[in-house]
Amino acid sequence: MAEPPPVEPSGRDVRDRLSLWDRRPQPAAPLSDRQTDSVLELKAAAENLPVPPELPIEDLCSLTSQSLAVTLTAAVPESTEDVLLKGFAVLGMEDEKIETAQQFFSWFAQVQTQMDQDEGAKYRQMRDYLSGFQEQCDAILNDVNSALQHLESLQKQYLFVSTKTGTLHEACEQLLKEQSELVDLAENIQQKLSYFNELESINTKLNSPTLSVNSEGFIPMLAKLDDCIAYISSHPNFKDYPVYLIKFKQCLSKAMHLIKTYTVNTLQNLTSQLMKRDPSAVPNSDNAFTLFYVKFRAAAPKVRTLIEQVEQRSEKMPEYQQVLNEIHQCYLDQRELLLGPSIASTVTELTSQNNRDHCALVRSGCAFMVHVCQDEHQLYNEFFTKPTPKLDELLEKLCLSLYDVLRPMIIHVIHLETLSELCGILKNEMLEDHVQNNAEQLGAFAAGVKQMLEDVQERLVYRTHIYIQTDITGYKPAPGDLAYPDKLEMMEQIAQSLKEEQKKLPSEASFSDVRLEDPESCNLVKSGSAETHNPRHQTTISPADLHGMWYPTVRRTLVCLSKLYRCIDRAVFQGLSQEALSACIHSLLGAADSISKNKTQVDGQLFLIKHLLILREQIAPFHTDFTIKEISLDLKKTRGSCFKNNSYSRRSQVQPFTATLGATSKDQRCGVFHLQDNKNKAAINITKHVIILVQ
């Protein structure tokens, strides 16, 4: 059943419905503030609409003043007919005439319709304009949607391509990484194999008959060989490690044999050339330096480079150290072969020249050995850069030849003056002057000199003991030695006569040549010289106080001590000095007793006091303790106290043990006091015989 067609609402219904849109308080379609403003603007614009041009001029009077607000100066036609003609022209009715009411209403409807159309023209125009924009926007939107679709498609394609590219990039990076790893692995393998591959080339070079240790490629080959051995030794987990290590060791042995053979042949050829130049093998001192040093120094650069290479590697590998030791031994053997006969002949020559002068012989022999040691160290440094103890052993052996010649002479010297002078030469000139200034080069020489010095000191001590026994203890005084105080009075008279003669002589001749000679010490004292240079000393010193007037044992003792003081150790000197002074004091006591018997007791005591004072004054510079302490213990009273205490304890057994202990302690203290008294007495006895008199 067909639905009836919808009934179109009338104009009133439309207006009623439209009124519901904005009816308050519940509008059907409420407008926003902006929409309200737009409606008001449209309403204001509609109120000022222009008068239609086709409206007759007569109807203008019916319009209100408000509706005629628009200026009509230009729109007012000249006549009504023109207005109507234009209005009919606009309506397309210029050929028609209004004769009936129907035509008028038709015309009026057309006018109204035209007015309605004119009124909505701008809205329609705006609508058409907006519709055009809408169509353009729709077209743009369609284009945008199409572009978005294309972009989405492109994005999907981009993502696909990007994913594929990333995958390809990662695959390339992985391949490059694997390639780098393979290259590194290949290089690492090649580097490791390079050490093994060097075996063939090194072996070929070593077996070549044209190879020379002085060639430019020998030392680099030696360095490669060391690197290969060090690398293989540090990687025992490699395959065929023992085989290659043995082969490289064999190559190293060949290289060491070449170096050793070349160096040894060079040294031996030098020695043979020098020996051929001198058939007697006993060169004199003039050409010894030329023969034994210049030739070796000229040949040193030939082998020094190889020896330096061996020395630099000697701490890393034992093969190098072994070859270095063999080269050292060969060098030292050749030097000993050359120097041994030369030194022996030179020492023999010095001995023949200074057969009676032992001091000159020792001084010249030691000076010769000093030069030999210094020259040998300098020559050794021309060949080698590192020291060796074997050089000092060789020099000690060479110095021993001088020692073997000098020792038999030293042990037969009997004079203390000679022995003390020998000690001074060895100790002061050789050890302190030469050895201390160059201890490194003269170490071997110092050992020989110290041994020789010990022998001289031992001989000096032995001869001193004999001298004390024979010349001091066993001295038999002559009558003139005991002529006191006659000798002193005679010397005083001589001094007075000399003074009187000097007063009589003019001042130019005041110098006196009178000399007092000491036959024991060979010392000369010029009295005139002493008086000239020290006039104050002239008035204080008497001729009787000169050491020529001393008792012979005193003079001999002091001379002996002065010889020993700087030659032997302090402890030995102290013991010998005590022995010598003790013997001297005993001789003085005997002489004093003899003088007391021959003269008076006062003369004997004055003689003893005079010489004891001389001894005290002369031994003061030695700064040595010359006292001899003798301590004796007397335990008689202590023993008596013990017996007494024992008997007392038997009588009173009920007495506490503490009382007995106290009594025993008391008696022991008494014994201690007695012991102290004995010590004081012993000290008093020592004071009587001490050398240094207590002031």
Side-chain angles (χ1 to χ4, degrees):
M1 181 174 173
E3 294 182 357
V7 180
E8 294 182 0
S10 61
R12 185 176 182 180
D13 294 334
V14 172
R15 288 193 297 271
D16 292 338
R17 291 177 182 177
L18 289 175
S19 64
L20 295 176
W21 288 5
D22 198 20
R23 187 178 62 183
R24 297 182 184 278
Q26 293 181 353
L31 299 175
S32 62
D33 295 340
R34 185 175 183 184
Q35 292 172 348
T36 304
D37 294 338
S38 299
V39 171
L40 293 176
E41 290 177 358
L42 291 173
K43 185 178 180 181
E47 290 178 353
N48 298 324
L49 290 175
V51 178
E54 64 273 8
L55 185 65
I57 195 63
E58 291 83 356
D59 293 338
L60 291 176
C61 60
S62 62
L63 296 176
T64 62
S65 60
Q66 185 176 1
S67 62
L68 296 176
V70 182
T71 59
L72 299 175
T73 59
V76 177
E78 298 178 355
S79 63
T80 303
E81 186 179 358
D82 293 335
V83 173
L84 291 175
L85 288 175
K86 289 181 180 180
F88 280 102
V90 172
L91 295 175
M93 298 175 63
E94 63 272 1
D95 295 334
E96 295 181 3
K97 294 182 179 180
I98 301 174
E99 295 178 352
T100 61
Q102 186 63 33
Q103 290 179 347
F104 175 77
F105 285 120
S106 175
W107 172 79
F108 184 78
Q110 290 180 1
V111 171
Q112 188 175 5
T113 302
Q114 183 66 33
M115 292 175 62
D116 293 337
Q117 289 178 356
D118 292 339
E119 184 179 0
K122 60 181 180 180
Y123 297 106
R124 286 191 298 271
Q125 184 181 1
M126 181 59 67
R127 183 193 64 185
D128 296 337
Y129 181 72
L130 294 176
S131 297
F133 273 109
Q134 185 177 4
E135 291 175 358
Q136 292 179 1
C137 290
D138 291 339
I140 293 172
L141 184 60
N142 293 331
D143 294 338
V144 170
N145 291 331
S146 177
L148 289 175
Q149 291 177 359
H150 287 293
L151 288 175
E152 186 177 359
S153 176
L154 290 174
Q155 185 177 9
K156 290 180 180 180
Q157 294 176 2
Y158 171 76
L159 292 175
F160 176 76
V161 174
S162 177
T163 304
K164 291 294 184 180
T165 305
T167 305
L168 181 61
H169 183 69
E170 292 177 357
C172 293
E173 287 184 350
Q174 183 65 26
L175 291 175
L176 289 175
K177 182 178 180 182
E178 293 177 357
Q179 182 184 4
S180 300
E181 292 177 355
L182 291 175
V183 170
D184 294 339
L185 180 61
E187 291 178 354
N188 191 11
I189 294 174
Q190 183 64 29
Q191 182 182 3
K192 294 178 180 178
L193 287 177
S194 63
Y195 294 99
F196 295 90
N197 295 333
E198 290 290 340
L199 177 62
E200 184 176 358
S201 62
I202 292 174
N203 200 4
T204 303
K205 291 179 181 179
L206 290 175
N207 293 327
S208 175
T210 60
L211 178 65
S212 174
V213 293
N214 290 327
S215 60
E216 296 181 356
F218 183 79
I219 293 178
M221 181 198 67
L222 197 63
K224 289 182 181 179
L225 183 58
D226 295 339
D227 295 339
C228 293
I229 293 176
Y231 183 80
I232 294 175
S233 300
S234 61
H235 295 83
N237 56 341
F238 284 176
K239 187 178 180 181
D240 296 336
Y241 154 77
V243 177
Y244 278 91
L245 184 60
I246 292 173
K247 291 182 179 180
F248 277 115
K249 289 288 186 180
Q250 292 175 354
C251 294
L252 181 62
S253 300
K254 292 179 182 178
M256 293 297 99
H257 179 70
L258 292 175
I259 294 175
K260 174 188 169 184
T261 303
Y262 176 78
T263 307
V264 170
N265 291 337
T266 302
L267 295 175
Q268 290 178 353
N269 291 334
L270 284 173
T271 304
S272 62
Q273 291 175 7
L274 293 174
M275 297 297 289
K276 289 178 181 178
R277 284 172 176 262
D278 189 22
S280 63
V282 186
N284 53 33
S285 58
D286 296 333
N287 61 5
F289 180 81
T290 303
L291 291 176
F292 298 155
Y293 294 99
V294 174
K295 293 295 183 181
F296 268 79
R297 287 180 179 176
K302 299 179 181 179
V303 297
R304 181 179 175 85
T305 304
L306 294 175
I307 294 175
E308 284 182 357
Q309 297 298 324
V310 175
E311 287 177 337
Q312 292 174 2
R313 297 170 171 83
S314 60
E315 297 180 357
K316 299 179 181 179
M317 294 186 184
E319 291 83 2
Y320 286 99
Q321 185 63 43
Q322 182 179 358
V323 172
L324 182 61
N325 293 335
E326 293 177 356
I327 294 175
H328 281 162
Q329 190 62 41
C330 177
Y331 170 81
L332 297 176
D333 290 341
Q334 301 304 315
R335 296 305 300 171
E336 183 180 4
L337 183 63
L338 289 174
L339 293 178
S342 175
I343 291 176
S345 62
T346 303
V347 172
T348 304
E349 183 180 355
L350 292 175
T351 305
S352 61
Q353 293 176 358
N354 303 283
N355 189 18
R356 295 184 179 182
D357 191 353
H358 297 86
C359 297
L361 176 60
V362 171
R363 184 179 285 109
S364 59
C366 291
F368 170 71
M369 292 309 302
V370 166
H371 289 296
V372 170
C373 293
Q374 292 177 347
D375 293 339
E376 284 301 311
H377 272 278
Q378 294 174 2
L379 183 62
Y380 176 85
N381 294 329
E382 294 288 335
F383 284 86
F384 305 95
T385 58
K386 292 184 178 180
T388 177
K390 294 182 180 180
L391 178 60
D392 290 336
E393 294 177 2
L394 171 63
L395 295 178
E396 288 180 4
K397 189 175 181 181
L398 296 177
C399 293
L400 189 62
S401 61
L402 176 65
Y403 174 77
D404 293 337
V405 174
L406 295 180
R407 188 177 185 280
M409 298 181 180
I410 291 173
I411 61 177
H412 290 89
V413 176
I414 61 176
H415 298 290
L416 297 181
E417 294 82 359
T418 304
L419 293 173
S420 62
E421 188 175 355
L422 290 176
C423 287
I425 293 172
L426 296 175
K427 186 176 181 181
N428 299 327
E429 296 181 11
M430 300 303 162
L431 292 179
E432 294 182 1
D433 294 342
H434 292 289
V435 176
Q436 287 185 0
N437 295 331
N438 195 359
E440 182 179 358
Q441 295 183 358
L442 299 179
F445 173 74
V449 171
K450 288 180 181 178
Q451 187 175 1
M452 196 182 305
L453 178 61
E454 291 175 358
D455 293 339
V456 174
Q457 290 176 342
E458 183 179 358
R459 180 66 179 174
L460 180 61
V461 171
Y462 172 72
R463 292 303 306 172
T464 302
H465 281 293
I466 296 177
Y467 182 80
I468 292 173
Q469 293 175 2
T470 56
D471 294 351
I472 298 178
T473 303
Y475 176 73
K476 302 299 182 181
D481 296 334
L482 301 177
Y484 282 89
D486 299 338
K487 185 185 293 187
L488 300 177
E489 293 174 355
M490 181 183 64
M491 293 301 299
E492 190 66 26
Q493 292 175 1
I494 293 174
Q496 292 294 334
S497 63
L498 289 174
K499 290 180 180 179
E500 291 177 358
E501 291 179 359
Q502 290 175 358
K503 291 179 180 179
K504 295 178 181 179
L505 294 175
S507 58
E508 292 82 1
S510 63
F511 185 81
S512 178
D513 293 333
V514 178
R515 297 181 179 180
L516 296 177
E517 183 177 356
D518 182 10
E520 299 292 336
S521 60
C522 298
N523 293 327
L524 296 177
V525 179
K526 296 183 179 180
S527 61
S529 177
E531 292 172 0
T532 303
H533 293 286
N534 194 354
R536 182 180 296 179
H537 191 65
Q538 176 183 358
T539 60
T540 56
I541 295 179
S542 173
D545 293 330
L546 297 176
H547 60 275
M549 300 301 299
W550 296 347
Y551 191 67
T553 57
V554 174
R555 184 170 58 253
R556 293 175 182 179
T557 300
L558 294 176
V559 171
C560 178
L561 293 180
S562 64
K563 300 295 183 183
L564 295 176
Y565 179 64
R566 298 188 182 278
C567 297
I568 59 178
D569 296 336
R570 187 179 182 85
V572 179
F573 174 76
Q574 185 172 346
L576 286 176
S577 62
Q578 291 175 353
E579 182 180 355
L581 290 174
S582 178
C584 181
I585 290 173
H586 282 90
S587 66
L588 289 176
L589 291 174
D593 292 339
S594 299
I595 293 173
S596 298
K597 292 178 182 179
N598 296 331
K599 298 295 181 178
T600 62
Q601 187 176 3
V602 175
D603 293 333
Q605 291 178 353
L606 290 175
F607 169 81
L608 179 61
I609 292 172
K610 171 183 174 62
H611 286 85
L612 288 177
L613 290 173
I614 291 173
L615 286 175
R616 185 188 70 173
E617 181 181 359
Q618 295 298 322
I619 66 176
F622 295 132
H623 301 290
T624 305
D625 187 10
F626 296 98
T627 60
I628 302 175
K629 295 182 180 179
E630 297 179 358
I631 300 175
S632 61
L633 300 178
D634 187 7
L635 301 177
K636 293 181 179 180
K637 293 185 178 182
T638 304
R639 185 180 61 180
S641 300
C642 291
F643 285 127
K644 181 179 179 181
N645 191 16
N646 189 13
S647 61
Y648 178 76
S649 61
R650 290 179 180 178
R651 290 194 302 268
S652 57
Q653 295 179 356
V654 296
Q655 190 174 2
F657 177 73
T658 55
T660 305
L661 182 61
T664 304
S665 301
K666 182 178 180 180
D667 293 336
Q668 289 178 353
R669 288 195 297 269
C670 294
V672 172
F673 294 153
H674 180 66
L675 179 62
Q676 186 68 32
D677 293 338
N678 291 334
K679 288 183 179 180
N680 295 332
K681 292 179 180 179
I684 295 173
N685 293 329
I686 292 171
T687 307
K688 293 179 180 180
H689 300 87
V690 75
I691 299 171
I692 302 175
L693 299 178
V694 180
Q695 293 181 354

